[in-house]
Amino acid sequence: MTGPDSVLGQLAAAYGIATEYLDWRQRPAVVSEQTIRGVLFSLGVDAGTPRLARQALDSHQQEPWTRMLPVCLVIREGRSTPVVAHITSGQQLSLQIELETGGSRDIPVLSDQLGQTRRLDGRTITEVSVPIPVDLPLGYHTVQAHCLDQQASMPLIITPAWLGLPDRMADRRGWGLATQLYSVRSEQSWGVGDLADLTDLTVWSAAAEGADFILVNPLHAAGPMAPMEPSPYLPATRRFVNPLYLRVERIGEYAEASDAERAQVAALLTELRQTPGLDDQIDRDSAWTAKRAAAKIIHSVRRTAGRQLDYLAFLAREGPGLQDYATWCALAEHHGDDWTSWPDELRSPQCPAVPAFRDAHRHEVDFHCWLQWVLDEQLSSAQAAGVRAGMGLGILHDLAVGVHPRGADTWAMQDLYASGMSVGAPPDAYNQLGQDWSQPPWRPDRLAELAYAPFRQLVAAVLRHAGGVRVDHVIGLFRLWWIPAGAGPGHGTYVRYDHEALVGILALEASRAGALVIGEDLGTVEPSVRDYLAERGILGTSILWFETDHQGDGAPLAPEKWREYCLASVTTHDLPPTAGYLAGDHVRLRERLGVLTRPLAEELEIHQAGRRAWLDQLRSVGALSAGSDAGEETTVLALHRYLTWTPARLICVALTDAVGDRRTQNQPGTVDEYPNWRVPLSDPAGEPMMLEDVLTSRRVKSLVEIVRDGVASPRPF
């Protein structure tokens, strides 16, 4: 493999494309020219020959001089940052800031702010660098520029320098549960854990056990028809919610339905519960088919005048984004979830046939808008119930990295995505063949041109009824591993994003929502990323099995050496629950699925060495008694006791650990080889467990008490 020539390398650097990187063993790796050219082409840059590469580089370097103002500027509050304007030489520039909340500010332009000049299209252009006032309020503002023959405007976004924890959590630590909501079923749910179940789990954990939060999997919407995509991390859209999580009987109009209509709903539920295998595996298709039919019955019930006004206000708030999503859903019901296979005249919202379809299928489109409204109500109720019961935070939502390549978002915003690319991860210790997540990446240049509006809307929607958000693979706000189509995950490269803008906007929206942000910063993460997130008040994620002394002998990290600003947990959804991990289930599973590159015996020995090291560490600090037989439940309790001895601000208990479940929810690097995202919450014997049983479980009570008491009375060192 050879690296790029100097011009291609410069062009790649100009677009944030890595030409080399360190692999998971910290060895230098060179990116092939073929990969670099493929990534450039997906960004609209033809570098197929040295001459074309030189032309593209010259054009890129000249582009800022063709604009009066940059496309967008995102800066931290209190920082003196210049806006760089380009005007015809000899003319006077005036700048004004229109504030988001009204009013304006003039920005003085001084003669000593004039910079270099350049001839362009018969004109001499002068660069002017004007500092933005440091006392501007947080928010989304607009810079207006005027001179004799030009005028332009530019979005200006002022973001918090520091986010941290909300005031209600600022002076104390907190703890909570993490769960895959679909797996937590009650006697009343429709085969899948739903928002009513989430409300009950939230209230119980807060009122009975003093929890501060419930962390859930991404609730993003999948396609509207069976078969439904099982992975919550591969949604059709990240802005809207999966109606699978709706509790039909909690919809306001259910109470107004006729006896006959309620009987129809009850019959659908009865029929669903007779589905073979429903207890043993999460069957989204059967559950959604029944729930969708029931929701259509309730949708037809007449709303009161007040309810109708509320619905209209919701439609106005969500605007064109909701209309596009609902239209995609209606189209998918007629033509399938893959919009790339639709008739040509329907493959974009801009096609004239799409508004005509929307008008002709108004009732179907309205159904999908209405589903989002009632979901919004149930999400609001769940969050409010948790806070009323005493939670310091409430529900923490999870934000997936990207979306399905043929889903609603890619249909509605095609120019925003890099064609012919998917996101994934290079080979690492746990996935030694690398990963291809089949998600198309956002184009960094288009995000800036849109003033990050899609990202702003997404984050605001996720945080609307939440105490915080966990950002999966937060390194994706800094760089993403782009894989050209057909190349395989080992033949991609990193593409950089404007993390100052993305993290800043994330912090701004969280600040407005009174919420916190947790970055999932596991795996191959540059140390500077963790430092930057800490500097901005974004919590990291610390998983016990990965917390070792990287500066020393690699032994388990002493509790007092853990970082404070993090969410600390023993395990995560990409590993088996702790009972399974202790037994080495994940190693045998990966060997069975063919995703190991080292012999099974070698992998098991490495795992056992790590397990022994942690058991020794637990005994050395007194979390596990020296004479203990280190049985599975005893060890799980000790590991969580150890967590509470760290300074971590948030301690997280996986619900699977609390009940003694062993099976992992997801095996990275697989799709259908393992029943990813379809494993119901189960007891230690592997028998599915209902929510009602969780709330009365002795084992759950024991673990919760250790964590609750340990968080309330941290161990001094």
Side-chain angles (χ1 to χ4, degrees):
M1 181 184 294
T2 60
D5 59 48
S6 59
V7 173
L8 186 61
Q10 291 177 58
L11 185 60
Y15 281 91
I17 303 167
T19 58
E20 58 183 21
Y21 63 94
L22 293 177
D23 68 13
W24 64 284
R25 292 189 175 96
Q26 297 302 300
R27 300 178 306 191
V30 177
V31 181
S32 71
E33 291 191 5
Q34 181 180 3
T35 293
I36 293 170
R37 289 195 174 95
V39 173
L40 284 167
F41 190 77
S42 74
L43 295 172
V45 180
D46 188 351
T49 66
R51 180 181 62 83
L52 289 172
R54 167 52 66 185
Q55 290 176 351
L57 180 60
D58 291 344
S59 176
H60 185 273
Q61 293 171 341
Q62 182 173 284
E63 194 276 336
W65 293 83
T66 67
R67 305 178 56 88
M68 190 177 184
L69 291 174
V71 293
C72 181
L73 184 61
V74 183
I75 60 178
R76 291 189 225 181
E77 62 178 334
R79 284 201 170 185
S80 179
T81 304
V83 56
V84 179
H86 294 92
I87 62 172
T88 302
S89 298
Q91 294 188 2
Q92 181 64 40
L93 172 67
S94 66
L95 290 174
Q96 188 178 68
I97 299 176
E98 295 179 353
L99 300 176
E100 179 184 19
T101 55
S104 62
R105 295 270 298 273
D106 291 327
I107 310 177
V109 181
L110 307 177
S111 59
D112 63 358
Q113 294 166 347
L114 302 179
Q116 59 182 312
T117 62
R118 177 178 292 193
R119 291 289 294 176
L120 184 67
D121 297 331
R123 294 188 304 150
T124 300
I125 306 298
T126 296
E127 188 173 83
V128 189
S129 182
V130 185
I132 295 292
V134 298
D135 59 346
L136 290 175
L138 299 177
Y140 301 99
H141 313 302
T142 304
V143 175
Q144 299 287 356
H146 302 270
C147 62
L148 186 62
D149 63 352
Q150 290 175 280
Q151 62 181 22
S153 64
M154 178 196 74
L156 172 66
I157 306 174
I158 309 296
T159 68
W162 164 263
L163 178 63
L165 280 73
D167 290 343
R168 57 191 182 275
M169 292 291 297
D171 298 324
R172 66 182 181 88
R173 299 203 300 165
W175 78 275
L177 295 168
T179 186
Q180 299 288 309
L181 179 57
Y182 54 84
S183 73
V184 186
R185 305 174 296 180
S186 69
E187 298 292 346
Q188 289 75 40
S189 55
W190 292 53
V192 174
D194 59 30
L195 294 176
D197 297 323
L198 175 60
T199 302
D200 290 346
L201 180 63
T202 299
V203 171
W204 165 80
S205 64
E209 304 299 344
D212 286 299
F213 64 85
I214 296 286
L215 172 62
V216 296
N217 57 279
L219 303 184
H220 311 317
M225 300 295 288
M228 181 175 283
E229 169 58 50
S231 173
Y233 292 92
L234 189 60
T237 175
R238 294 188 291 173
R239 179 173 169 180
F240 299 105
V241 181
N242 195 335
L244 180 71
Y245 296 112
L246 192 65
R247 175 66 68 83
V248 175
E249 297 89 338
R250 296 281 181 93
I251 299 172
E253 281 62 49
Y254 180 79
E256 305 299 324
S258 67
D259 290 344
E261 287 167 328
R262 287 199 295 272
Q264 287 179 282
V265 170
L268 287 165
L269 179 55
T270 299
E271 183 180 357
L272 170 66
R273 287 176 174 167
Q274 296 170 352
T275 303
L278 191 68
D279 291 339
D280 300 324
Q281 193 171 108
I282 301 299
D283 184 349
R284 287 172 174 80
D285 295 342
S286 296
W288 174 234
T289 299
K291 193 173 289 190
R292 177 174 173 270
K296 282 185 174 290
I297 293 169
I298 306 304
H299 177 240
S300 67
V301 175
R302 183 179 178 84
R303 292 183 283 276
T304 65
R307 293 274 293 169
Q308 179 64 13
L309 287 172
D310 191 12
Y311 178 45
L312 293 176
F314 174 81
L315 294 177
R317 185 189 76 191
E318 296 302 320
L322 176 59
Q323 290 297 320
D324 281 346
Y325 163 72
T327 301
W328 178 85
C329 288
L331 281 162
E333 289 177 330
H334 286 264
H335 300 286
D337 288 351
D338 180 1
W339 63 265
T340 64
S341 66
W342 294 354
D344 290 347
E345 65 271 16
L346 298 174
R347 292 187 185 181
S348 168
Q350 284 71 49
C351 293
V354 170
F357 174 91
R358 182 186 294 132
D359 195 51
H361 298 81
R362 192 174 303 139
H363 186 75
E364 296 169 52
V365 173
D366 183 73
F367 172 65
H368 292 286
C369 291
W370 172 83
L371 283 173
Q372 293 303 310
W373 175 54
V374 292
L375 282 162
D376 189 74
E377 289 185 319
Q378 294 190 9
L379 279 168
S380 176
S381 295
Q383 172 66 7
V387 173
R388 282 197 307 270
M391 280 190 164
L393 293 168
I395 298 167
L396 305 184
H397 286 275
D398 200 345
L399 179 61
V401 177
V403 296
H404 197 286
R406 297 173 295 281
D409 280 3
T410 57
W411 176 75
M413 299 179 287
Q414 294 175 39
D415 289 346
L416 183 56
Y417 292 90
S419 62
M421 293 288 145
S422 63
V423 170
D428 62 26
Y430 284 86
N431 298 279
Q432 295 166 15
L433 302 178
Q435 300 175 62
D436 185 338
W437 303 329
S438 74
Q439 300 165 333
W442 272 348
R443 288 181 50 163
D445 55 340
R446 292 283 165 78
L447 271 177
E449 291 166 4
L450 294 170
Y452 301 93
F455 184 66
R456 290 157 47 184
Q457 294 163 355
L458 164 62
V459 175
V462 170
L463 286 172
R464 185 167 295 120
H465 306 301
V469 61
R470 171 192 178 272
V471 181
D472 190 51
H473 195 65
V474 74
I475 187 65
L477 302 182
F478 296 75
R479 67 178 188 179
L480 277 173
W481 184 255
W482 287 27
I483 307 165
H491 299 283
T493 188
Y494 287 109
V495 177
R496 291 204 168 271
Y497 289 77
D498 186 345
H499 63 271
E500 183 74 18
L502 293 172
V503 174
I505 290 168
L506 184 62
L508 175 57
E509 292 297 335
S511 175
R512 291 183 164 187
L516 57 76
V517 175
I518 301 162
E520 187 270 290
D521 55 353
L522 305 174
T524 306
V525 178
E526 300 159 299
S528 61
V529 169
R530 292 193 173 97
D531 293 340
Y532 179 86
L533 293 173
E535 178 188 334
R536 299 301 299 270
I538 308 297
L539 277 69
T541 301
S542 292
I543 302 301
L544 180 137
W545 303 120
F546 306 150
E547 289 296 310
T548 56
D549 185 358
H550 298 292
Q551 305 302 319
D553 58 1
L557 194 64
E560 67 271 19
K561 293 184 179 180
W562 286 42
R563 52 184 169 170
E564 177 185 359
Y565 269 81
C566 74
L567 173 82
S569 179
V570 175
T571 191
T572 180
H573 59 258
D574 285 335
L575 293 172
T578 302
Y581 190 90
L582 289 167
D585 290 355
H586 60 301
V587 179
R588 296 181 184 87
L589 176 61
R590 287 187 292 147
E591 194 274 337
R592 191 164 68 248
L593 297 174
V595 294
L596 289 181
T597 59
R598 292 185 293 209
L600 174 62
E602 182 179 345
E603 288 284 349
L604 283 172
E605 176 52 36
I606 292 171
H607 166 71
Q608 290 298 330
R611 181 181 182 277
R612 287 192 297 271
W614 271 107
L615 290 175
D616 291 344
Q617 176 71 0
L618 293 176
R619 292 190 175 100
S620 72
V621 298
L624 191 65
S625 62
S628 170
D629 63 359
E632 172 260 310
E633 183 174 359
T634 302
T635 304
V636 170
L637 293 174
L639 289 165
H640 285 85
R641 183 179 294 113
Y642 189 92
L643 277 189
T644 70
W645 293 348
T646 74
R649 294 299 297 271
L650 297 180
I651 304 297
C652 187
V653 179
L655 188 58
T656 49
D657 279 357
V659 302
D661 202 348
R662 285 186 60 151
R663 291 184 295 172
T664 186
Q665 283 291 334
N666 174 53
Q667 174 54 53
T670 66
V671 180
D672 291 319
E673 300 92 332
Y674 179 81
N676 292 326
W677 317 114
R678 286 162 281 194
V679 178
L681 187 69
S682 302
D683 64 18
E687 292 298 319
M689 193 172 184
M690 292 290 105
L691 176 59
E692 290 83 356
D693 299 322
V694 172
L695 307 189
T696 58
S697 165
R698 174 207 59 81
R699 180 166 180 149
V700 171
K701 185 76 173 177
S702 298
L703 182 53
V704 162
E705 285 180 351
I706 282 178
V707 174
R708 180 193 63 210
D709 296 346
V711 167
S713 303
R715 181 186 185 188
F717 286 95

